[in-house]
Amino acid sequence: MELRHLRAFAALASQRHFGHAAASLNLTQPALTLRIQVLEKELGVQLVDRSSRDLHLTPAGQVLLPYASSLIEIEDEAIAEMKHHAAVKARRLRISYLALWDGLPTSIVATFRTRYPETTVETSSGYSVPNLERVLKRDADLAFFAVGTGTWEELSIRSIDRKEIVLLMAPTHPLAALDQVPVKKLKGVPMIALSPGISDAVVKATTSWLARHMGEDPNYVAYEPPDQLAEDVLHRENAVTIMNNVRASAAAHLGLVFRRLAPRPMLECGVAYRKDNHSETLASLLRIIDELVAPLPREGPAGFENLTPA
């Protein structure tokens, strides 16, 4: 049995749809169908029941699935270990930045590059959960992420920064007349949220936090990617959005203003790395983090509430 055929079968068992399974593997649907047929011919059994509208595994398919999943997991682990070994041998450090977190991560990595010029630093960027998954799969040595959006037993986690979340709006908005906006005053106010699939864990936590303080769900009227939030507020003068104070300050060039909320929400950010990654390159980076970042108190500043409690 070829693992590519087993991957096709496992994807089909998970998706229960030929088109969706093919897309998840970057295959065409005929190519996926061919792999399933080759596997069935090799094993001499039918694995998928195609007679009904809904796709189901046959009894033979149900027997094969746990073995296929186990073999796929073993291959994934082997590939990840080899990538890690190659990175260590080549003196490479792979870091995944957290999208929308400016400042501190760049300073940390810049300091490492200056201090260890012989080490190749490879960087990527993403949102919290995918970043943690990259570290878990050994596709990254360290990732920046929003604390509380996911944890795994295999990972070490350290909080290193806190970002205040503020309300961004047009200067003509009625709430702009306030120095600080009580969250309850957002009831019914049109709000713009992040598009689905972009930092979903943070969006979910933010929505829950707002609903808890407002007594009702936020009135989301639009969903936009992060780089379009401020522009959309500009064109919808009756709408507001929330973002960290650094990005809100940067939106001033558009003529927008921001106000603090009461209570004041805070997003805690940190770094994650595998507990079993004992490379000296990673250890050097962690020492730089120790130098540049003072340990955060367990409790946040008075008057703040964590959006995503760990």
Side-chain angles (χ1 to χ4, degrees):
M1 290 184 294
E2 294 188 34
L3 278 167
R4 63 189 179 121
H5 297 154
L6 291 176
R7 285 187 182 276
F9 167 68
L12 187 59
S14 172
Q15 300 287 341
R16 301 298 173 104
H17 187 281
F18 274 92
H20 296 164
S24 72
L25 296 171
N26 294 318
L27 295 173
T28 63
Q29 189 167 326
L32 175 71
T33 301
L34 179 61
R35 291 189 183 186
I36 298 298
Q37 290 173 341
V38 169
L39 185 60
E40 289 179 325
K41 183 177 180 180
E42 183 178 5
L43 295 175
V45 295
Q46 185 176 342
L47 300 172
V48 180
D49 182 1
R50 303 173 179 84
S51 62
S52 62
R53 182 176 179 181
D54 297 326
L55 188 149
H56 297 286
L57 298 183
T58 64
Q62 293 173 358
V63 170
L64 177 63
L65 182 58
Y67 293 102
S69 300
S70 179
L71 289 169
I72 292 167
E73 183 178 355
I74 290 171
E75 184 189 43
D76 287 343
E77 289 179 355
I79 292 172
E81 287 287 351
M82 291 302 98
K83 286 181 178 178
H84 173 64
H85 177 77
V88 171
K89 187 176 180 180
R91 296 188 68 84
R92 289 203 313 270
L93 182 66
R94 299 160 301 164
I95 298 171
S96 191
Y97 286 111
L98 176 61
L100 307 182
W101 183 6
D102 304 312
L104 182 57
T106 305
S107 298
I108 291 169
V109 176
T111 301
F112 180 89
R113 289 181 190 273
T114 300
R115 199 169 295 181
Y116 300 97
E118 73 283 359
T119 298
T120 300
V121 180
E122 298 176 358
T123 60
S124 58
S125 179
Y127 297 101
S128 294
V129 174
N131 275 3
L132 292 172
E133 290 173 347
R134 287 189 185 112
V135 175
L136 191 67
K137 295 176 182 178
R138 300 187 191 278
D139 290 332
D141 298 299
L142 179 140
F144 297 94
F145 78 113
V147 176
T149 54
T151 56
W152 280 271
E153 185 178 339
E154 298 95 330
L155 303 183
S156 289
I157 303 298
R158 176 180 170 186
S159 297
I160 64 171
D161 197 13
R162 291 184 171 121
K163 296 287 187 185
E164 182 176 1
I165 305 300
V166 297
L167 192 69
L168 184 74
M169 70 200 90
T172 54
H173 196 284
L175 294 177
L178 302 176
D179 291 330
Q180 190 165 289
V181 179
V183 178
K184 288 184 178 180
K185 285 191 173 290
L186 295 178
K187 282 185 179 182
V189 173
M191 298 188 72
I192 304 167
L194 283 175
S195 302
I198 299 177
S199 201
D200 286 340
V202 172
V203 173
K204 182 179 179 181
T206 301
T207 301
S208 298
W209 185 87
L210 288 168
R212 187 169 69 252
H213 287 286
M214 291 164 51
E216 63 184 40
D217 289 336
N219 178 26
Y220 291 144
V221 296
Y223 297 86
E224 296 286 350
D227 59 346
Q228 296 299 315
L229 282 174
E231 290 281 354
D232 203 22
V233 169
L234 184 65
H235 294 292
R236 297 173 184 257
E237 292 188 5
N238 67 329
V240 301
T241 192
I242 62 174
M243 60 179 60
N244 73 56
N245 57 339
V246 176
R247 288 195 165 257
S249 297
H253 76 282
L254 296 174
L256 299 175
V257 298
F258 71 89
R259 298 290 183 265
R260 283 178 165 166
L261 291 163
R264 292 161 68 180
M266 174 185 67
L267 186 63
E268 191 163 304
C269 300
V271 295
Y273 53 94
R274 286 191 64 101
K275 294 177 181 177
D276 60 0
N277 186 346
H278 303 300
S279 78
E280 180 55 34
T281 305
L282 174 61
S284 298
L285 178 65
L286 295 177
R287 285 193 290 270
I288 288 174
I289 293 174
D290 288 338
E291 291 177 23
L292 298 182
V293 182
L296 292 181
R298 178 171 297 182
E299 298 296 328
F304 283 84
E305 291 187 6
N306 211 332
L307 282 178
T308 56

